[in-house]
Amino acid sequence: MDSCSYGERSCQVTSYEHTLETINVDGLVSFLEAYGNQIKKIYFTHSTKSDKLLSALSKGCCPELRLLEINTKLDGGYSQLPICIQGLQIGCPKLQTFRLMNVTAVPKMIRNIPSSTCGFPMLEELCIATSFHSFMTDNDLNNVLHGSPNLRVLDLRGGSRITPTGLYALPCERLECFYWGLYFNSNTMVASKKGIHMLAQKWSNTLRELDLANQPFSEEDLEIAMGHLAHSVGVEFFRSLNLSGTKITSSALRLLINQAPALKYLNLSSCRYLPRGLKRLYHGQEDIQLLLDKLD
């Protein structure tokens, strides 16, 4: 907690960070009800007590909250967290950053909370990333982002049930960082095999970082997508690309690398359609230029 104890009524509280298992959650909720209008950032580790804190936030105890992060350990196993998104949207209308780190959100309804709200109008970053399989659907994502036109960062790592069609329908027109890599092994994985070209076209002028690791898009789809990025007005600012485990081809890479002078990170490890010796991680403009020479 920033520069404040429970008894210092005159102190300004700007953030709270703790592991819920180590504190009295009822006492914390009472504290938030008294001083929550001063808090702008909350970080906590997911536990069995998370629900009480989320319920308090949904009731509007922290109306000035700008950042909410709920996390758990990478080796902590599969973690589900029931969340009433509509309640958070009403209780935290000024939220700008919302992160669920290795926690799987499960939609939850609360009595007297409407099923539809104006969303998070000020949201700039949404992270719903997991190293496990995520069950989030297009409809779930739309419930979070339908009122967030200013979103700049979208992290959906592990979101194999999200589709390009669902993403394309979002009102977010100026996305800068999009992370959609799949970092788990599953024989039952559900993932889109086409449509990445639509998203590359939608965000081509603003995109700066893109992660598509292990996504099963076809060679043709990826080549069209790289073409959209290469011919966009924002390509000179494009700096990071992770295509590890994809079907990217040499011709598709040439399209983009030739036109992206700011590209400093390029992951091509395990790319089965590339020649042997090129399937690795590239750091820095000089390293990437050497790759371009070999592609030519």
Side-chain angles (χ1 to χ4, degrees):
M1 194 190 312
D2 284 359
S3 63
C4 182
S5 66
Y6 278 51
E8 294 175 324
R9 182 180 297 268
S10 62
C11 244
Q12 182 179 12
V13 182
T14 59
S15 69
Y16 189 90
E17 181 172 3
H18 222 298
T19 301
L20 293 185
E21 294 289 4
T22 65
I23 62 174
N24 183 316
V25 174
D26 291 332
L28 172 59
V29 170
S30 296
F31 173 76
L32 291 179
E33 289 172 348
Y35 305 110
N37 61 348
Q38 300 177 47
I39 293 178
K40 294 186 178 182
K41 299 179 182 179
I42 293 180
Y43 308 79
F44 69 90
T45 300
H46 171 48
S47 76
T48 56
K49 301 177 182 180
S50 301
D51 190 56
K52 284 189 176 182
L53 179 56
L54 288 172
S55 294
L57 293 177
S58 295
K59 293 176 183 177
C61 68
C62 297
E64 299 298 319
L65 196 67
R66 301 296 200 276
L67 183 152
L68 175 61
E69 178 178 312
I70 308 169
N71 57 61
T72 191
K73 297 179 180 178
L74 287 174
D75 58 356
Y78 185 71
S79 298
Q80 287 189 332
L81 178 61
I83 297 180
C84 179
I85 291 298
Q86 293 83 0
L88 280 179
Q89 289 170 336
I90 294 173
C92 306
K94 298 182 180 180
L95 200 65
Q96 295 175 331
T97 300
F98 184 21
R99 300 180 187 138
L100 296 178
M101 312 292 287
N102 223 38
V103 177
T104 299
V106 178
K108 172 186 177 181
M109 298 305 297
I110 297 180
R111 186 181 302 175
N112 299 324
I113 295 291
S115 59
S116 180
T117 70
C118 63
F120 292 115
M122 299 176 64
L123 198 67
E124 296 182 1
E125 176 184 341
L126 175 66
C127 174
I128 306 181
T130 174
S131 57
F132 295 90
H133 178 72
S134 171
F135 291 95
M136 171 168 272
T137 65
D138 289 342
N139 186 58
D140 297 330
L141 186 61
N142 183 67
N143 285 339
V144 180
L145 293 177
H146 67 87
S148 306
N150 300 315
L151 195 76
R152 296 185 300 105
V153 178
L154 180 57
D155 189 343
L156 297 176
R157 286 172 292 175
S160 61
R161 292 178 180 265
I162 302 295
T163 71
T165 301
L167 289 163
Y168 189 82
L170 295 175
C172 322
E173 299 291 340
R174 299 191 59 80
L175 203 65
E176 295 179 12
C177 302
F178 180 40
Y179 310 108
W180 199 16
L182 303 178
Y183 295 93
F184 56 88
N185 295 317
S186 173
N187 294 326
T188 59
M189 182 180 69
V190 178
S192 300
K193 295 184 179 180
K194 59 181 181 179
I196 188 59
H197 68 278
M198 297 190 307
L199 303 181
Q201 183 178 32
K202 177 183 176 73
W203 294 318
S204 61
N205 291 331
T206 57
L207 207 59
R208 304 292 181 261
E209 300 185 9
L210 177 62
D211 177 0
L212 298 176
N214 301 311
Q215 285 283 1
F217 297 114
S218 70
E219 325 73 293
E220 295 82 8
D221 201 11
L222 285 167
E223 184 157 358
I224 296 172
M226 295 302 107
H228 284 311
L229 294 175
H231 295 102
S232 68
V233 296
V235 68
E236 61 181 304
F237 303 109
F238 192 77
R239 59 180 177 256
S240 176
L241 179 62
N242 187 347
L243 294 172
S244 174
T246 68
K247 298 176 182 177
I248 193 69
T249 62
S250 297
S251 58
L253 282 173
R254 280 196 300 269
L255 280 175
L256 180 60
I257 297 176
N258 265 320
Q259 303 297 324
L263 188 62
K264 295 182 179 179
Y265 177 93
L266 178 61
N267 194 339
L268 301 177
S269 57
S270 302
C271 290
R272 69 192 77 170
Y273 285 69
L274 293 181
R276 187 173 299 177
L278 301 186
K279 307 173 188 180
R280 66 175 181 86
L281 175 62
Y282 296 83
H283 273 297
Q285 295 174 331
E286 183 177 348
D287 200 17
I288 293 174
Q289 186 58 50
L290 291 174
L291 166 66
L292 183 58
D293 295 339
K294 294 177 182 178
L295 291 175
D296 290 335

